[in-house]
Amino acid sequence: MTIEQRLTAAVISGIKTLYGADIPDNQVQLQKTKKEFTGHLTLVVFPFLRISRKSPEQTAQDIGNYLTENDDIISEFNVVKGFLNLTIASNCWLATLNEINADPDFGIRQAADDAPLVMVEYSSPNTNKPLHLGHIRNNLLGYSLSNILQANGFRVVKTNIVNDRGIHICKSMLAWQKWGEGATPASTGKKGDHLVGDFYVLFDQKYKAELRALEKQGFTHEEAETRSTLMEEARALLRAWESGDEAVVALWTMMNSWVYEGFDETYKRLGVSFDRIYYESQTYLEGKKTVLEGLERGIFYRRDDGSVWADLTADGLDEKVLLRSDGTSVYMTQDIGTAKMRFDDYPINRMIYVVGNEQEYHFKVLSLLLDKLGFEFGKGLVHFSYGMVELPEGKMKSREGTVVDADDLMDEMNAAAREISAELGKLDGLQQAEADEIIRMIGLGSLKYFILKVDPRKNMTFNPKESIDFNGNTGSFIQYTHARICSVLRKAEEQGLAISTQLADNTTVTPDEENLIQLLSTYPDIVKEAGDEYSPACIANYVYELVKEFNRFYHDYSILNEPDSDIRQLRLVLSADTAKVIRSAMGLLGIEVPQRM
């Protein structure tokens, strides 16, 4: 039982004894005492005034007197208006630290075999371009959210839907046919996703040149788009692919295979993975089938041009096309098919889509359509909506080739980590292989932490120069603190100082050490909050507060040179458990922490 749980039970008992009333657990509001007041935890007494029929100050005084007289968990208290500030007895903090120390998986709940199953979809790349900075935020959020949900006792399936069909890949295919001269990843020395992305950019350049030429002939921009032979050829490729044309399918298979190899390399380097990958080229057929069944049942309707639509005006939305007049599918059709296939494949209790906030309307429509089609899971879909990520220079555009490539960004972060580490002498004396591995951890960890520390619902600007700093709210600062603790523990081992599994009951604990223990003890609550709120930022900001608190402690107190053996043991245990929680928290963010820096 945690201190908060024990204190909650004591308050409930006190309200019953003092005022003869039963109250639920959630009416007991405990919060960390503000730094300007004395105490560890503060009880808000305003919810009890209706029961006590006394002033806030007198009610707080009554409860404070009861707690100190009936439970040795409280050593003293003070009242500030309607707030009861409680000081927890030192022996309780020692007991708490012993509990943390005894639990190697402190803060993490293991999933039972019958735990609810959550599927998390993230990444969702198109096969016409490499992964970019926007994909990095998506992948990091999805992977971290999966870790956090698993730490909350859920069974989790990490999934990806690859958008491997449609007009976008046909544009790259057409550009390769016309101007590729047989280029392959092997012949060019380029990653396959980069090579295909180059042809996507080339198509856009040629298309815009064609439009400008038509406009010079006197056509409006809209008329030029209609007359574009390039765009018509791309659409013809799409129709040929959907009809199963062998040559087109062979080209599509070849170019997509290049992209998949490139994606796999980037995912591995980024440190994210998936349990199951779906492909739009497989799921869109299921979607078309389901839509046509809905048409037969009168859920949808067909227009004169042959296109199939859903009328959602009665639900406060608009009309949505599901099949174009030429019979080709739209994204919504694919998502219907993907959802159906997933729920056929897995006993999913909750489906979470990690997709940018510009798609909020799309997921409102998807949820409603699935519900109308009779799928019980329709209304339960969760859109984990996150804000866009930009660079200081502004937005990125794939068609114009102005995106920040994920591979290039990781290279840049690696180079910056190497340069800064060299300037500060962080890796002096290490073998080159070990130094290179630590540099990789620093560069990638800085990138991940900088992105994940931001509230996912907010837009953000990623500045590589600000993300690597060994001071401040950065991944490298947290990694350095962990390495510092590991250095202390190594020295303790060299001196023959074994870390105790049970601290002496009479060990003196300073207020600063109590604050650090209290912060460690809240880790399980932070993990739960991050899962409830779908927010890796909760974890990131907690671990930053933890390392700040530890560094203050490290600066003010001796550890290895403390002459009192019991106090020295306390500080070694406190250091080891801080490192354990740092590793756990950063692991939930998908960030590695080195033992040396």
Side-chain angles (χ1 to χ4, degrees), residues 500-556:
S500 175
T501 56
Q502 191 73 21
L503 297 168
D505 292 339
N506 60 349
T507 305
T508 302
V509 187
T510 68
D512 290 329
E513 289 163 342
E514 290 176 351
N515 287 338
L516 188 51
I517 296 170
Q518 182 177 7
L519 192 53
L520 285 171
S521 73
T522 62
Y523 180 53
D525 296 329
I526 297 298
V527 173
K528 183 178 185 304
E529 179 187 357
D532 291 343
E533 299 293 327
Y534 298 158
S535 179
C538 293
I539 302 289
N541 292 305
Y542 164 80
V543 74
Y544 173 57
E545 291 301 318
L546 178 62
V547 298
K548 281 199 304 181
E549 193 70 34
F550 179 84
N551 279 295
R552 278 193 288 267
F553 158 76
Y554 180 84
H555 180 269
D556 293 341

Side-chain angles (χ1 to χ4, degrees), residues 161 163 165 242 279-280 282-293 300 307-310 320-324 327-341 353 362 365-366 369-370 373 375:
I161 175 69
N163 299 302
R165 60 164 292 279
E242 291 207 3
Y279 297 90
E280 184 185 347
Q282 299 165 355
T283 66
Y284 91 101
L285 292 172
E286 187 67 39
K288 286 182 71 171
K289 176 184 172 185
T290 305
V291 166
L292 292 173
E293 288 172 355
F300 309 131
S307 57
V308 176
W309 292 71
K320 178 67 181 177
V321 63
L322 300 176
L323 292 174
R324 300 185 186 94
T328 56
S329 304
V330 297
Y331 277 121
M332 187 63 69
T333 316
Q334 164 242 298
D335 280 346
I336 290 171
T338 306
K340 183 178 183 302
M341 288 179 68
Y353 294 87
H362 175 90
V365 173
L366 176 62
L369 290 176
L370 289 169
L373 286 165
F375 298 117

Side-chain angles (χ1 to χ4, degrees), residues 138-203:
N138 180 292
N139 278 279
L140 297 184
L141 285 171
Y143 186 75
S144 179
L145 179 62
S146 299
N147 290 341
I148 290 166
L149 291 171
Q150 199 162 17
N152 276 281
F154 293 98
R155 292 181 297 144
V156 176
V157 175
K158 305 187 298 289
T159 189
N160 184 1
I161 175 69
V162 178
N163 299 302
D164 63 342
R165 60 164 292 279
I167 196 67
H168 54 276
I169 184 61
C170 290
K171 292 176 181 178
S172 294
M173 289 161 56
L174 182 63
W176 186 87
Q177 282 182 321
K178 286 180 169 292
W179 307 292
E181 298 179 349
T184 67
S187 69
T188 60
K190 279 194 171 186
K191 280 180 76 221
D193 51 337
H194 287 249
L195 181 62
V196 173
D198 289 345
F199 284 113
Y200 182 66
V201 172
L202 180 60
F203 175 91

Side-chain angles (χ1 to χ4, degrees), residues 406-417:
D407 297 312
D408 292 343
L409 181 58
M410 286 188 280
D411 287 341
E412 182 180 342
M413 295 298 296
N414 216 35

Side-chain angles (χ1 to χ4, degrees), residues 132-141 270 406 409 447 451:
H132 55 63
L133 177 56
H135 289 115
I136 285 182
R137 190 180 196 191
N138 180 292
N139 278 279
L140 297 184
L141 285 171
L270 192 59
L409 181 58
L447 168 64
I451 287 176

